[in-house]
DNA sequence: AAGTGGAGCAACCGCACCATG
DNA sequence: ACATGGTGCGGTTGCTCCACT
């Protein structure tokens, strides 16, 4: 037996909203708010609409500061980066683009951006006979175009899932210094150390003595670190220079693969993902939502509760 | 001018999660 | 512990517009 419908479908209007309906809904919410009950709202203002429909109309069209119109190049980059990192979590992606709605971004991705990427893939296929590597090459090319701000945001997303009671510290034991990546609100907890070099020792530059810049905190994301230091050196550059030292080793592995590995490790830590494919082993696993779908983000409270009950997890499989 | 097909987008649908009693 | 109802999310549908023939 299915659940009861949220409204009487026979007696509600469907389809496009009229200007009068828009005005009614907007005026009411601006004056009274939603009252915490979307289902009851249309009855209060005499609208023959389903509560869910009202909510959608308000969130996607009527509420203030909604940005309509074409997407900028920077927004394209952010969407691509986040999609390739976390998949179709449109609401999370939308949270990084002020004024854009998840519906907008979803539509934009499905109708334009995806095709843009597919066009790139076709171009690759025409110029390459390497079969299975094409997809990876496409992603690599696309992501290599994407600059640090997007990566910082992606990193921040993962950081935002991490409970602040367990300050997450990315350590590099070979360099004898570390960077605290999450604020702690409770000094009684021991920081959980997360060795980002342990699964890729061959990529570590033993002679690299560059300090890690101090993470700062973005005013709009006060609980997550932001990776720009005072000199404007960004995470992308730091990944290039700091722990993996690809230039020094002449290694053809990209910073972005390392970044994905780190992100995947954080994912495993927080969500207990059993996806064990590693970017070093697989040609298609890095951030590919089809090859290795990311687990859904655990609610902050659940994650925190789990850690408080069970303590920090064992070292993640992806980094053993 | 009329027909057709594709693109873009607003809106709907169903499911999962969460709060509450 | 369970049932119920509200909310949020992602996938899908269907309407409108426009370019092309």
């Amino acid at each position: 037996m299915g659940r009861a419908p949220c409204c009487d479908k026979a007696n509600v209007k469907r389809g496009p909203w009229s200007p009068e309906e828009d005005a009614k809904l907007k005026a009411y919410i601006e004056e009274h708010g939603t009252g915490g009950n979307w289902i009851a709202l249309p009855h209060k203002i005499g609208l023959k609409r389903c509560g869910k429909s009202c909510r959608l109309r308000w969130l996607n069209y009527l509420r203030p500061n909604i940005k309509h119109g074409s997407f900028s190049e920077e927004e394209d980059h952010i969407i691509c980066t986040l999609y390739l990192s976390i998949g179709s979590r449109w609401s999370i992606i939308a949270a990084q683009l002020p004024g854009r709605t998840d519906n907008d971004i979803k539509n934009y991705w499905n109708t334009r951006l995806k095709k843009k990427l597919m066009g790139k893939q076709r171009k690759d296929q025409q110029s390459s006979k390497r079969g299975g590597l094409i997809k990876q090459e496409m992603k690599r090319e696309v992501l290599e175009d994407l600059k640090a701000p997007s990566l910082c945001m992606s990193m921040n997303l993962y950081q935002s899932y991490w409970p602040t009671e367990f300050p997450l510290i990315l350590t590099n034991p070979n360099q004898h210094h570390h960077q605290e990546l999450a604020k702690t609100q409770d000094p009684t907890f021991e920081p959980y150390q997360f060795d980002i070099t342990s699964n890729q020792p061959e990529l570590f530059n033993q002679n690299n003595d560059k300090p890690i810049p101090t993470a700062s905190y973005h005013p709009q994301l006060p609980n997550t670190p932001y990776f720009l230091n005072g000199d404007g050196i960004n995470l992308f550059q730091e990944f290039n220079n700091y722990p993996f030292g690809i230039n020094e080793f002449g290694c053809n592995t990209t910073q972005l693969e390392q970044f994905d590995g780190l992100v995947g490790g954080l994912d495993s830590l927080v969500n207990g993902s059993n996806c064990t494919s590693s970017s070093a082993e697989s040609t298609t696993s890095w951030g590919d939502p089809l090859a290795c779908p990311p687990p859904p983000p655990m609610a902050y409270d659940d994650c925190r509760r789990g850690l408080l009950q069970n303590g920090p997890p064992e070292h993640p499989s992806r980094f053993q």
Side-chain angles (χ1 to χ4, degrees):
Chain A
M1 185 178 126
R3 56 176 305 154
C6 62
C7 56
D8 180 4
K9 291 193 189 306
N11 290 316
V12 296
K13 189 183 166 197
R14 297 170 61 189
W17 281 64
S18 69
E20 292 76 24
E21 287 174 313
D22 280 348
K24 247 184 187 177
L25 182 62
K26 194 159 186 271
Y28 183 85
I29 294 178
E30 280 176 351
E31 197 176 337
H32 303 97
T34 64
N37 188 338
W38 284 107
I39 302 297
L41 193 143
H43 303 293
K44 285 183 193 166
I45 55 179
L47 271 180
K48 285 188 184 303
R49 288 279 181 175
C50 172
K52 287 176 76 167
S53 179
C54 293
R55 175 185 163 270
L56 207 65
R57 185 65 181 170
W58 171 255
L59 291 178
N60 287 340
Y61 200 82
L62 296 176
R63 74 183 154 106
N65 304 322
I66 288 288
K67 213 190 277 181
H68 294 292
S70 55
F71 283 69
S72 68
E73 278 293 306
E74 191 190 349
E75 286 174 315
D76 283 3
H77 286 168
I78 292 169
I79 295 167
C80 286
T81 307
L82 293 180
Y83 184 87
L84 292 173
S85 290
I86 63 175
S88 58
R89 297 179 195 175
W90 303 117
S91 58
I92 296 176
I93 295 173
Q96 300 298 319
L97 298 171
R100 299 293 187 186
T101 69
D102 52 357
N103 206 40
D104 256 356
I105 294 170
K106 180 174 58 181
N107 283 334
Y108 182 58
W109 170 264
N110 284 331
T111 58
R112 300 196 211 175
L113 266 184
K114 194 161 70 179
K115 285 169 193 164
K116 203 167 158 185
L117 294 189
M118 289 306 129
K120 208 169 177 52
Q121 184 179 30
R122 272 196 296 276
K123 201 174 139 195
D124 284 346
Q125 282 171 333
Q126 284 163 5
S127 63
S128 169
K129 302 282 183 192
R130 282 177 296 165
L133 290 176
I134 289 173
K135 196 174 179 186
Q136 183 197 18
E137 285 300 314
M138 179 192 74
K139 281 186 178 177
R140 187 193 304 280
E141 243 186 68
V142 170
L143 284 179
E144 278 176 352
D145 288 342
L146 304 174
K147 303 306 179 196
S150 320
L151 289 174
C152 290
M153 284 188 204
S154 190
M155 195 64 197
N156 279 334
L157 283 172
Y158 281 87
Q159 291 296 322
S160 68
Y161 300 146
W162 191 259
T164 52
E165 282 81 353
F166 289 91
L168 178 61
I169 290 183
L170 302 192
T171 64
N172 184 335
N174 296 333
Q175 292 199 240
H176 308 294
H177 58 236
H178 60 257
Q179 176 63 54
E180 184 174 344
L181 289 178
K183 282 180 170 176
T184 177
Q185 294 169 344
D186 184 347
T188 63
F189 282 103
E190 284 296 313
Y192 179 57
Q193 299 206 349
F194 182 73
D195 180 356
I196 56 176
T197 67
S198 61
N199 76 326
Q200 290 148 332
E202 74 281 5
L203 295 177
F204 178 63
N205 179 2
Q206 301 269 354
N207 299 320
N208 188 343
D209 57 356
K210 289 177 182 167
I212 306 176
T214 303
S216 55
Y217 292 83
H218 192 279
Q220 290 176 336
L221 296 164
N223 293 321
T224 57
Y226 193 68
F227 286 88
L228 291 178
N229 71 3
D231 297 321
I233 294 174
N234 57 44
L235 178 64
F236 189 87
Q237 288 164 334
E238 289 308 308
F239 265 71
N240 188 16
N241 295 329
Y242 171 63
F244 304 113
I246 63 163
N247 291 340
E248 290 84 348
F249 279 84
C251 176
N252 62 6
T253 309
T254 68
Q255 306 97 314
L256 288 154
E257 284 173 309
Q258 312 306 329
F259 175 77
D260 174 66
L262 177 56
V263 166
L266 289 169
D267 228 353
S268 304
L269 277 169
V270 176
N271 296 302
S273 165
N274 55 10
C275 176
T276 55
S277 61
S278 91
S279 57
E281 295 164 355
S282 164
T283 57
T284 58
S285 69
W286 56 289
D288 184 344
L290 297 174
C292 177
M298 187 181 283
Y300 176 88
D301 284 345
D302 287 345
C303 186
R304 179 168 156 264
R305 202 177 306 125
L307 282 168
L308 290 172
Q309 279 169 6
N310 308 319
E314 295 299 317
H315 221 56
S317 60
R318 211 169 162 175
F319 282 80
Q320 277 173 345

